[in-house]
């Protein structure tokens, strides 16, 4: 749990999602009771952060549910106890620092890397698969580029040899002994 760097507010948010008590609407996120009545607001930044890191997901009915990683992280948090959880201000400071480190990314990309994913979890496997596919595409592109550069270099060497032969022929013509004087 210490590796995830969570605070009690993250645990409470995931606990709400596991219980089916978190719903998104146009104005943000709110708790929902069993009768469907909305209650207090839940910090939208926290919900979006947990969703982009793979712990929560938004259902088609605007209900926010916990993913497998969210269930596992909640289980770990409950097993670890409150002493392992960090202070929310410290967690959000580290999130802001992680966002600044990835300032060239989109806001969603910054949030996705602001918290560590669950080691060995579904989101980590998904990101690893995406990275592998990206590496495979990059390798294919690098091979295409290498072949293109080799073809360009072959053509350049052929042009250089032709130019060298023409230059040698011009030099031979210029330095060849003459039988008569040109001026005569």
């Amino acid at each position: 749990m210490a590796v995830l760097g969570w605070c009690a507010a993250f645990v409470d948010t995931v606990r709400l999602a596991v219980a089916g008590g978190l719903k998104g609407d146009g104005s943000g996120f709110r708790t929902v009771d069993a009768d469907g009545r909305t209650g207090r607001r839940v910090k939208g930044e926290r919900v979006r952060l947990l969703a982009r890191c793979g712990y929560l997901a938004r259902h088609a009915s605007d209900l926010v549910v916990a993913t497998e990683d969210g269930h596992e992280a909640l289980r770990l948090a409950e097993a670890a106890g409150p002493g392992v959880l960090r202070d929310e201000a410290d967690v959000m400071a580290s999130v802001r620092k992680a966002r600044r480190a990835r300032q060239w990314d989109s806001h969603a990309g910054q949030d996705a890397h602001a918290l560590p994913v669950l080691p060995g979890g579904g989101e980590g496997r998904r990101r690893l698969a995406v990275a592998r596919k990206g590496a495979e595409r990059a390798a294919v592109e690098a091979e295409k580029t290498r072949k293109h550069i080799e073809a360009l270099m072959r053509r350049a060497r052929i042009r250089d040899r032709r130019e060298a032969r023409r230059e040698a022929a011009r030099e031979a013509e210029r330095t060849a002994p003459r039988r008569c004087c040109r001026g005569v």
Side-chain angles (χ1 to χ4, degrees):
M1 199 62 217
V3 172
L4 296 180
W6 277 24
C7 61
F10 286 176
V11 174
D12 293 340
T13 303
V14 174
R15 189 176 290 127
L16 271 172
V18 167
L22 185 60
K23 188 169 186 169
D25 58 12
S27 65
F29 298 94
R30 291 184 173 275
T31 60
V32 178
D33 62 6
D35 297 329
R37 292 186 302 245
T38 57
R40 65 177 173 82
R41 287 184 174 275
V42 177
K43 202 171 191 181
E45 179 184 22
R46 187 181 316 136
V47 174
R48 282 188 291 277
L49 187 64
L50 289 168
R52 288 178 179 151
C53 291
Y55 297 105
L56 299 178
R58 199 160 181 178
H59 195 266
S61 63
D62 285 336
L63 195 65
V64 178
V65 295
T67 62
E68 288 180 26
D69 289 356
H71 283 279
E72 182 64 19
L74 181 62
R75 187 189 67 74
L76 290 172
E78 289 172 346
V84 177
L85 299 175
R86 294 172 51 196
D87 183 47
E88 185 175 7
D90 292 340
V91 172
M92 294 313 289
S94 65
V95 164
R96 284 190 296 278
K97 183 178 178 182
R99 284 177 178 160
R100 278 193 308 273
R102 298 185 66 88
Q103 61 188 347
W104 61 89
D105 256 353
S106 66
H107 191 66
Q110 290 173 1
D111 281 352
H113 296 282
L115 286 175
V117 296
L118 187 69
E123 181 68 13
R125 287 191 303 271
R126 186 193 69 77
R127 288 182 184 187
L128 186 61
V130 167
R132 280 188 183 136
K133 285 180 184 177
E136 289 170 1
R137 278 194 305 269
V140 167
E141 286 297 317
E143 183 63 22
K144 284 181 186 177
T145 302
R146 187 188 63 76
K147 287 180 180 179
H148 180 69
I149 288 173
E150 283 179 359
L152 288 174
M153 294 300 290
R154 276 195 305 274
R155 281 187 255 152
R157 283 192 294 271
I158 290 170
R159 272 195 312 269
D160 289 347
R161 282 189 294 237
R162 285 181 185 158
E163 183 61 35
R165 282 193 299 251
R166 280 194 292 267
E167 183 61 36
R170 281 194 295 270
E171 185 63 26
E173 172 77 24
R174 188 179 65 75
T175 60
R178 304 270 180 211
R179 286 194 178 174
C180 63
C181 181
R182 285 188 181 195
V184 175

